[in-house]
Amino acid sequence: MSTDGNDSPLETLLLPFASGALAWPDDGALFLRARDGWPLHRQPLPGLVCVQSFKPEYDRLQRSGLDTDDTQRRFPLALVLPPRQRDEARALFAEAISRLQPGGIVVASMANDEGAKSGEADLARIGGPLQTLSKNKCRVFWTGPLNDAADEALAAQWQALDAPRPILDGRFVSRPGVFAWDRVDAASALLARHLPDDLAGVGADLGAGYGYLAAETLARNPRVAALDLYEAEARALDLARINMRKIASSATLGFHWHDVTAGLPQRYDFIVSNPPFHAQGRADRPDIGRRFIAAAADALKPGGRLWLVANRHLPYESVLDARFGSVRTVAQQDGFKAIEAIKAGR
């Protein structure tokens, strides 16, 4: 996806309908990993149902008035914007086929530098022969009318790729496509090693992922009364709910599918965070981290503490210095920095 306001994969996804190669079905279409953008509003798309598990994109779809109410019915057409992570994309192709009416068609689009060639080959493996168009440095490819997957056993195998699975010797469960899905990322590990043992009261984990930092926080801090986990990706938040059930803690837990950059709904004694610095593309987005820091500053009580980890090169110091009474770098290692920031008192 471009960062200049154009969404080339989305525009290319609708190319077969704009060119007349495909007709829009009377019974509508299911759009998996849907994103809003001008191509969705260029021509009427009656009956379009958009499915998106990433809260910022979901919110954009709703603000545009698009239907996000998936009732699990079957459709004559499934549109897909597959992610770069290949196992996640394969699961999505299998899901798309499973949601078709008899004779339905799957249409997918990917940027050439985001795995379009591999995505096209994968859809052909379970969907049979494809047709393809290229434009905008992207490919759009679609199946013929399907009654079932061309390889039903493979389709079932790929659909299972999205199921939660044990990682880290069974300590957590995770799934492909979630950030650092099969490991502890180095930044979170650095912050966890330097977390204090005197955090107390009500806290929050911003960008909680599958729950690693939240689990480490509670393991070190028995005086925490409550911890809210905020995560924009619903697939990750579902994992965090499972993983936090295993934690031996008396703390009350809250789980929030929420875009942290829009602000937080309540006040906290402390916050921990490994904020994202990418959106759904690969380019650095330090503005996201800065907005996480601003949201934390607004939500912390006077004297509240933010424990933050970030890539060393990301320019967060200006917003930290502006929004907090004191800021110190606790540790630097492997290109990351762990920071404690304390909000000024009244």
Side-chain angles (χ1 to χ4, degrees):
M1 180 176 174
S2 172
T3 58
D4 61 2
N6 294 319
D7 189 338
S8 296
L10 176 61
E11 181 181 357
T12 309
L13 179 69
L14 296 175
L15 179 61
F17 306 98
S19 68
L22 289 174
W24 189 262
D26 293 337
D27 290 343
L30 179 68
F31 188 1
L32 299 177
R33 293 293 193 276
R35 297 196 293 262
D36 188 31
W38 65 264
L40 289 185
H41 307 279
R42 176 174 53 185
Q43 63 190 74
L45 302 175
L48 179 66
V49 175
C50 298
V51 177
Q52 174 58 259
S53 59
F54 185 58
K55 192 64 162 62
E57 295 291 353
Y58 176 88
D59 289 343
R60 292 185 190 103
L61 291 164
Q62 286 220 312
R63 285 195 295 270
S64 286
L66 294 164
D67 186 356
T68 57
D69 185 17
D70 180 15
T71 59
Q72 296 297 310
R73 69 181 178 91
R74 294 178 181 266
F75 292 82
L77 171 68
L79 306 174
V80 186
L81 288 175
R84 183 178 178 82
Q85 210 286 336
R86 195 168 188 180
D87 281 352
E88 184 188 2
R90 285 173 165 175
L92 202 62
F93 288 143
E95 180 186 356
I97 291 174
S98 75
R99 297 292 305 276
L100 290 177
Q101 296 175 1
I105 293 172
V106 174
V107 182
S109 173
M110 302 176 73
N112 292 337
D113 62 358
E114 293 285 339
K117 187 175 181 180
S118 296
E120 183 177 2
D122 283 343
L123 182 57
R125 286 182 66 186
I126 62 168
L130 306 179
Q131 296 188 58
T132 304
L133 294 173
S134 296
K135 191 176 181 180
N136 308 313
K137 298 181 179 179
C138 300
R139 295 188 189 196
V140 56
F141 40 94
W142 64 95
T143 68
L146 299 175
N147 291 320
D148 292 295
D151 187 331
E152 292 188 48
L154 185 62
Q157 180 182 332
W158 283 4
Q159 199 159 13
L161 291 173
D162 194 45
R165 68 183 74 172
I167 62 167
L168 302 174
D169 297 322
R171 184 183 176 197
F172 299 99
V173 297
S174 189
R175 55 166 41 119
V178 171
F179 172 69
W181 78 271
D182 58 352
R183 64 191 186 280
V184 177
D185 73 284
S188 293
L190 177 66
L191 182 59
R193 287 196 298 271
H194 291 88
L195 284 174
D197 59 7
D198 63 347
L199 297 176
V202 179
D205 179 357
L206 309 186
Y210 63 73
Y212 170 76
L213 266 181
E216 293 293 308
T217 299
L218 293 181
R220 287 165 168 75
N221 293 276
R223 294 168 54 212
V224 173
L227 186 65
D228 285 340
L229 284 71
Y230 290 89
E231 173 54 49
E233 176 51 63
R235 297 171 63 253
L237 190 65
D238 290 343
L239 299 169
R241 286 190 178 96
I242 297 170
N243 289 325
M244 296 304 290
R245 292 189 201 126
K246 306 175 184 179
I247 305 303
S249 172
S250 61
T252 300
L253 300 177
F255 299 91
H256 305 273
W257 185 43
H258 185 76
D259 178 6
V260 169
T261 67
L264 301 177
Q266 68 181 75
R267 308 294 294 279
Y268 292 101
D269 298 298
F270 71 89
I271 289 173
V272 299
S273 185
N274 178 4
F277 59 95
H278 298 102
Q280 293 192 314
R282 288 182 287 172
D284 278 4
R285 289 283 308 276
D287 58 300
I288 298 175
R290 287 193 292 264
R291 287 157 70 185
F292 265 59
I293 293 167
D298 289 339
L300 282 168
K301 299 174 184 177
R305 300 153 73 186
L306 168 64
W307 284 82
L308 173 84
V309 68
N311 286 48
R312 193 181 302 175
H313 73 276
L314 292 174
Y316 292 160
E317 280 70 21
S318 60
V319 66
L320 284 164
D321 290 340
R323 300 300 303 269
F324 289 86
S326 68
V327 178
R328 69 184 180 102
T329 299
V330 177
Q332 297 190 66
Q333 185 177 331
D334 300 327
F336 301 104
K337 53 191 174 186
I339 295 169
E340 181 192 34
I342 302 176
K343 187 170 180 177
R346 295 188 186 278

